[in-house]
Amino acid sequence: MDQRLIVTDLCRNQSFLSLFNTTLVEIQKGNDELKDNYANLTPDDFASLTLAVRNGQALAFSGMEISAEKWGANCARVSSKFYIPPAFRHTHLQKFEPSDKYINSAYLIPRQIAVAQSLGIECVFISRIDKRRSFGKFIDLVNANGGYTFKMYPHKLGVCGPLPLGYRPAECCQWIATMPLKKDADTKFLEYLENISCEDCNDSN
């Protein structure tokens, strides 16, 4: 068996597309509470879709999304739709220590950020709906593993773009960590989200 770790971008090389699709089918057969998030995903949904493979098995995947309507023209979300099959998850961790065993932060996110830079994207962000404390620890790991400078915003912001007045699904209010790829670009991005967010997002849950 090939013990090498292979990291590929399915938006640019679809050699492992069949394995990715098989993984999506397995997710739907399982009992993951977020499995609906992974239904019918395709590389076309992303600007970069990175997959880690070893021994013919998918170890993890996540992607980078660009949406001018939701986040403005110059900022992209990385680590989107992040998934690790149950067999490869690290459980009962007290804290994250920098290590290449954390596939997403060590390999997938850096690949996505490199693509963002090649496309002229000016800032990137990571978001999560809940669990602020564990999200903060994850951001610390991303920074330590990649030498990055992601910073968390103090309250949730709307990530679904402009919505009708009074309509804000819970999943649209998320914790956010940003990193500029161009000076002060994250400030402009956060101002954009502030302008389209509502008071319902200003909580600390």
Side-chain angles (χ1 to χ4, degrees):
M1 299 289 286
D2 190 346
Q3 297 292 329
R4 295 174 302 164
L5 177 68
I6 300 171
V7 178
T8 188
D9 187 338
L10 294 175
C11 292
R12 289 154 182 83
N13 183 338
Q14 298 195 345
S15 299
F16 290 96
L17 182 59
S18 177
L19 175 61
F20 174 73
N21 289 334
T22 298
T23 303
L24 296 185
V25 171
E26 292 302 315
I27 293 173
Q28 296 308 308
K29 290 179 180 179
N31 57 6
D32 192 302
E33 61 182 12
L34 297 177
K35 67 181 184 180
D36 289 348
N37 288 351
Y38 307 102
N40 303 315
L41 292 181
T42 76
D44 291 340
D45 298 320
F46 303 88
S48 173
L49 177 56
T50 48
L51 172 71
V53 179
R54 180 181 285 136
N55 291 341
Q57 296 179 297
L59 302 187
F61 66 79
S62 69
M64 179 181 74
E65 298 177 286
I66 300 173
S67 173
E69 179 182 8
K70 292 180 181 178
W71 312 312
N74 297 311
C75 201
R77 176 160 63 184
V78 297
S79 192
S80 186
K81 306 297 184 183
F82 172 39
Y83 182 78
I84 302 177
F88 303 115
R89 293 177 186 174
H90 303 285
T91 59
H92 307 299
L93 295 175
Q94 297 300 313
K95 63 179 180 179
F96 290 116
E97 297 286 355
S99 170
D100 61 4
K101 70 180 180 181
Y102 301 115
I103 301 294
N104 192 38
S105 62
Y107 298 103
L108 305 188
I109 292 175
R111 180 71 68 90
Q112 293 160 31
I113 291 176
V115 172
Q117 291 172 318
S118 73
L119 295 176
I121 296 297
E122 296 181 353
C123 79
V124 291
F125 75 98
I126 302 172
S127 67
R128 180 181 291 181
I129 295 175
D130 54 12
K131 300 179 181 179
R132 177 184 182 181
R133 185 175 179 182
S134 63
F135 181 53
K137 291 181 178 179
F138 173 68
I139 294 303
D140 288 342
L141 175 65
V142 171
N143 286 338
N145 258 351
Y148 298 128
T149 57
F150 281 93
K151 293 182 179 179
M152 281 190 63
Y153 199 66
H155 63 75
K156 289 182 176 180
L157 289 170
V159 297
C160 294
L163 296 173
L165 187 64
Y167 176 71
R168 180 69 65 180
E171 64 269 19
C172 288
C173 294
Q174 300 191 12
W175 296 109
I176 284 179
T178 63
M179 184 180 73
L181 301 178
K182 181 179 178 181
K183 185 178 180 181
D184 297 329
D186 57 332
T187 301
K188 297 176 184 178
F189 164 68
L190 291 168
E191 289 174 350
Y192 175 80
L193 289 194
E194 283 281 13
N195 288 333
I196 65 172
S197 294
C198 62
E199 291 184 359
D200 292 343
C201 287
N202 296 337
D203 63 34
S204 58
N205 296 322

